[in-house]
Amino acid sequence: MVASMNQAPISQGSRVQLWHEVVREAEDRSGRALGEERESYLVFVLQRHLQDAYLLARTQALEWLAAQEQIGSARADALRDVGDRCLLIAGLFPGLAARRRVSVDYYIDLGSGAYDEVARSTRASYADLFAQLARGYRELVVVLRAVRTGTAG
């Protein structure tokens, strides 16, 4: 990886370690401290979904509707994926919203709502995490924007 003149290069460690470092630097730039659980979850999302060749081609509202037809853990997993993808779009690919003639807030509302549904329909420890993610969704988006731009906001 390449670093700017005033930044140390990020070039050693596992993929997870590298993503953690990128996210921590973005937290510093954005002035947001996510805490260990939300930071780790954000790293998980980055690792899991950024290799998805169809990430930007999916229509998240249709994915959300399809999730509503599922039951149990399949429904929770599908809703989690909607929340994850909306998070990445709002934070890393906000231009997609404009091209689709919707606001970034559309993705934020859809994604945080999906996480909230996961929180209300799963076991306690998982529910707690997703309740935190739903409440702090905008904060996660701000950190991702700092990942994207290298600056806060």
Side-chain angles (χ1 to χ4, degrees):
M1 293 186 164
V2 179
S4 66
M5 295 296 260
N6 57 358
Q7 251 182 329
I10 300 173
S11 61
Q12 294 182 352
S14 72
R15 182 185 279 181
V16 171
Q17 290 169 322
L18 296 175
W19 275 122
H20 268 287
E21 196 169 328
V22 167
V23 168
R24 284 184 192 121
E25 287 180 6
E27 285 177 272
D28 289 344
R29 284 192 305 276
S30 68
R32 302 297 201 281
L34 298 178
E36 186 177 333
E37 278 189 318
R38 291 188 305 157
E39 181 182 291
S40 292
Y41 188 80
L42 189 55
V43 168
F44 164 79
V45 169
L46 287 164
Q47 267 207 218
R48 184 166 180 257
H49 291 285
L50 283 183
Q51 296 180 41
D52 179 358
Y54 300 105
L55 173 67
L56 302 181
R58 299 174 194 273
T59 303
Q60 294 309 310
L62 295 177
E63 300 277 330
W64 182 85
L65 286 171
Q68 298 303 319
E69 296 176 0
Q70 303 292 320
I71 57 171
S73 63
R75 182 174 185 270
D77 289 347
L79 287 166
R80 178 204 61 216
D81 288 347
V82 169
D84 292 352
R85 291 180 191 127
C86 286
L87 180 60
L88 292 173
I89 291 167
L92 297 178
F93 307 106
L96 180 66
R99 287 192 301 277
R100 291 192 173 169
R101 300 191 193 290
V102 297
S103 70
V104 170
D105 283 341
Y106 166 83
Y107 286 100
I108 291 171
D109 292 342
L110 186 62
S112 64
Y115 280 172
D116 186 56
E117 285 190 56
V118 173
R120 289 185 283 126
S121 66
T122 59
R123 66 186 186 280
S125 62
Y126 203 57
D128 290 343
L129 171 62
F130 280 89
Q132 284 180 44
L133 294 169
R135 281 191 308 270
Y137 203 87
R138 285 186 185 276
E139 202 169 34
L140 294 166
V141 169
V142 168
V143 171
L144 281 176
R145 285 186 183 158
V147 166
R148 177 180 176 266
T149 63
T151 62

